[in-house]
Amino acid sequence: HGRGGCGPSSRDTVLVASSWLLREIELAAMTLAQVTLARPADETEELFSCGVATIDLPASKADIRALGKQRSLRCACPSPLCPVAALTRLVATARARPGARNSRDGDLPLIADIDGNHVTKVAVTATFKAVANAAGMPPEARITGHSGRVTGAQRMALAGISEWRIQVFGRWGSATVLRYVRDTLIDASAHHVAAD
């Protein structure tokens, strides 16, 4: 995983990054102690839902381990893009690693290299690039460690979520997110106009 391959864990990594608007450095440093998975409250709902997932996140990019903000998302099943299902699979993979049973969640990286250590931010970015390549993106596409944040913000905007909600959810302290979101909405509008 830490070498930028494109297996199921890589796709789940990208899905979690774009759903929670995460930077590559946040994913590289994340431990299982930062993740809370809550099953559905009633049995009827349990048949159709994998519940709610919460991640404790840093308040700013300068303090990656501050754990100052909690962000929760609900199950989107049966969509293959369900963020809770993707995060649940990453947690299960982390707990199944050799030696994981002898460690506390606070010590276990959510995403690990082949030796079970935290991956580097370079490895996370390589994973983003491998998934983009497997999805057919052109080789000249600019994929960076912030691509999960950008893609997630754009997806939220296209889903009709307001710019200020995206900015708050993504912990943006500046109006940078507005550039990503507005460009996407302008492109989508142009497509709809051309289709009419």
Side-chain angles (χ1 to χ4, degrees):
H1 187 76
R3 300 186 198 285
C6 189
S9 289
S10 296
R11 288 189 296 273
D12 287 340
T13 298
V14 170
L15 182 53
V16 167
S18 65
S19 297
W20 273 273
L21 308 181
L22 301 175
R23 301 169 183 91
E24 84 289 356
I25 194 166
E26 292 167 336
L27 274 170
M30 194 173 292
T31 66
L32 294 191
Q34 290 175 251
V35 177
T36 304
L37 300 171
R39 300 296 301 165
D42 74 50
E43 292 177 22
T44 311
E45 187 182 348
E46 191 167 331
L47 296 173
F48 308 102
S49 173
C50 46
V52 176
T54 302
I55 300 179
D56 289 327
L57 295 166
S60 73
K61 67 180 174 183
D63 191 7
I64 62 163
R65 301 290 296 163
L67 310 183
K69 303 288 181 184
Q70 289 189 335
R71 295 293 184 259
S72 298
L73 292 172
R74 291 193 168 283
C75 173
C77 288
S79 170
L81 300 179
C82 175
V84 179
L87 185 56
T88 300
R89 288 189 295 269
L90 288 178
V91 168
T93 299
R95 289 192 172 133
R97 283 187 206 109
R101 291 189 182 103
N102 301 327
S103 300
R104 296 171 308 138
D105 280 358
D107 300 328
L108 288 175
L110 177 65
I111 302 165
D113 64 15
I114 199 162
D115 299 317
N117 300 314
H118 283 278
V119 294
T120 64
K121 67 181 201 170
V122 171
V124 174
T125 303
T127 298
F128 290 172
K129 289 178 180 179
V131 171
N133 187 30
M137 289 195 69
E140 66 275 6
R142 188 166 176 261
I143 307 297
T144 71
H146 284 235
S147 291
R149 281 172 71 72
V150 174
T151 301
Q154 291 171 342
R155 251 183 36 211
M156 288 179 170
L158 289 172
I161 298 171
S162 68
E163 293 172 352
W164 71 267
R165 284 184 188 268
I166 297 168
Q167 185 172 358
V168 169
F169 187 86
R171 299 159 293 128
W172 268 283
S174 70
T176 301
V177 66
L178 302 180
R179 187 178 73 234
Y180 308 141
V181 170
R182 288 195 178 137
D183 289 348
T184 299
L185 293 175
I186 289 168
D187 291 345
S189 295
H191 175 73
H192 289 302
V193 168
D196 290 342

